Amino acid sequence: MRISRFYLPERYVSGCSLELSKEQAHYALTVLRLKDGHQIEVFDGKGHFASAVIQHTSRRSANVVLEEVQTAVNESPLKTVLLQGISKGDRMDYSIQKAVELGVGSIQPLFTERVDVKLQGDKLEKRRAQWQSIAINACEQSGRAFVPEILPLISLEEYLANNTVEFGIVCDPYAEHTIASLPPPNLDRPVTILVGPEGGLSEKEVMKAEQNGFSTVRLGPRILRTETAGPAMLTIAQALWGDF
C-alpha cells in the first residue's frame, strides 16, 4: 500500500510533533480521509525523511509525530542544473515536474530572445512560487526528500555573465554531436543543461553559450518541443552518467 508523503521543512527529531499546514491538513483529513494513528511519511526538502503518525487536533487540523528519521539515499550521483527558457502555460509546469522526477538538482528559468511570456514585478515571484510548488508536489510523488530550488528568473545573458559552466550542453537540432559522444563529466561538478523556449534559442544565443563552456548536442533526427527536450536530455544524462 502506497504511503502518503508530505513536505514539512522543519528540523526533524524522532518523537517530536509537527503541525501540518491548513492545506495539508485538509488534504490529509478530507481528501485522503486519514484517521488518528494512520502512518505517513514526511520529508524536509534537504534530504531527510521520517515515518510519522497522524494525530488529529481538531476537525480541520492535525499534527504528525515523527518516528524514525532517515537520510535519503535515492539522489543521483550526477548533479544537474536545468536552464529552461520560459514557455507558456502548462508547458513550463510540465518541464519542471518531469525534471524533478528525473532527479534534477536545480532549475533556472530564463528569459531568452524568443520567450513570449511577459512577467514583471510581483508576477515574477508569484510565478516562481507556483513552479516551486510544482517541484514540491513532484517530490512528494516521486519519493525524493530533496526539493530542487526554482531559482529567481533572470535572462540568459545575465546567467552566462555571472556563472562559470564547466560541463554544459545546449540542445540544438542542427548540432553535429549527440550527448553520448561527449566525454564523461566530473561527478563533483554539475552538468548544466540549456533548453530554449517554444521558438528555440537564436543562433547568437547558441554561439554565446558555446563561448561560455557549453557543447551543442542534438537529440536524434527529430526536433523536440521545449517541454520534451529538457526531460529527454536529463534522461540521457542520467542513463549515461547517473543512476538510471
Side-chain angles (χ1 to χ4, degrees):
M1 181 178 176
R2 183 177 177 83
I3 296 179
S4 299
R5 304 182 76 240
F6 293 86
Y7 170 57
L8 283 178
E10 303 283 353
R11 181 172 177 269
Y12 285 6
V13 177
S14 297
C16 75
S17 177
L18 300 176
E19 184 179 4
L20 295 178
S21 68
K22 291 182 179 179
E23 294 78 10
Q24 289 173 325
H26 171 78
Y27 183 70
L29 305 180
T30 305
V31 179
L32 298 179
R33 299 184 181 279
L34 301 183
K35 308 298 182 183
D36 274 344
H38 199 107
Q39 198 84 25
I40 64 168
E41 184 175 286
V42 296
F43 62 100
D44 65 359
K46 297 180 180 180
H48 304 100
F49 68 98
S51 54
V53 175
I54 286 278
Q55 280 189 343
H56 288 211
T57 53
S58 75
R59 287 184 58 191
R60 298 183 180 182
S61 63
N63 288 356
V64 294
V65 178
L66 304 193
E67 296 181 331
E68 183 181 5
V69 179
Q70 302 181 61
T71 300
V73 293
N74 61 351
E75 287 299 312
S76 174
L78 179 68
K79 302 177 180 68
T80 52
V81 178
L82 175 62
L83 311 182
Q84 176 66 55
I86 300 168
S87 53
K88 289 183 177 179
D90 59 4
R91 292 180 181 178
M92 191 71 177
D93 298 352
Y94 180 91
S95 297
I96 290 171
Q97 180 189 67
K98 299 311 171 188
V100 172
E101 291 176 15
L102 291 164
V104 76
S106 62
I107 299 174
Q108 174 65 75
L110 291 176
F111 288 106
T112 66
E113 288 183 22
R114 295 172 181 164
V115 165
D116 192 26
V117 177
K118 308 301 181 184
L119 293 171
Q120 294 181 347
D122 292 344
K123 290 184 179 180
L124 287 174
E125 183 56 31
K126 184 176 180 181
R127 186 62 60 89
R128 189 183 76 87
Q130 174 188 332
W131 291 333
Q132 190 68 69
S133 294
I134 290 171
I136 290 170
N137 291 339
C139 287
E140 289 176 337
Q141 181 275 325
S142 63
R144 293 186 68 180
F146 173 82
V147 176
E149 182 179 6
I150 309 299
L151 298 165
L153 285 65
I154 59 173
S155 69
L156 174 58
E157 185 177 1
E158 286 179 274
Y159 183 88
L160 294 177
N162 293 289
N163 291 273
T164 300
V165 175
E166 293 190 12
F167 193 103
I169 49 180
V170 53
C171 187
D172 180 0
Y174 307 107
E176 180 180 351
H177 301 288
T178 63
I179 297 178
S181 68
L182 299 177
N186 178 357
L187 293 182
D188 291 331
R189 304 295 297 169
V191 170
T192 305
I193 296 171
L194 172 58
V195 177
E198 288 98 328
L201 297 170
S202 68
E203 290 184 13
K204 178 183 176 181
E205 288 173 325
V206 172
M207 185 180 302
K208 187 70 173 177
E210 288 183 293
Q211 293 170 353
N212 283 269
F214 286 82
S215 299
T216 56
V217 295
R218 57 181 168 81
L219 296 173
R222 293 162 296 279
I223 297 176
L224 303 184
R225 296 169 69 98
T226 179
E227 69 268 29
T228 308
M233 293 175 76
L234 282 165
T235 300
I236 296 168
Q238 291 283 20
L240 290 172
W241 311 308
D243 58 1
F244 279 19

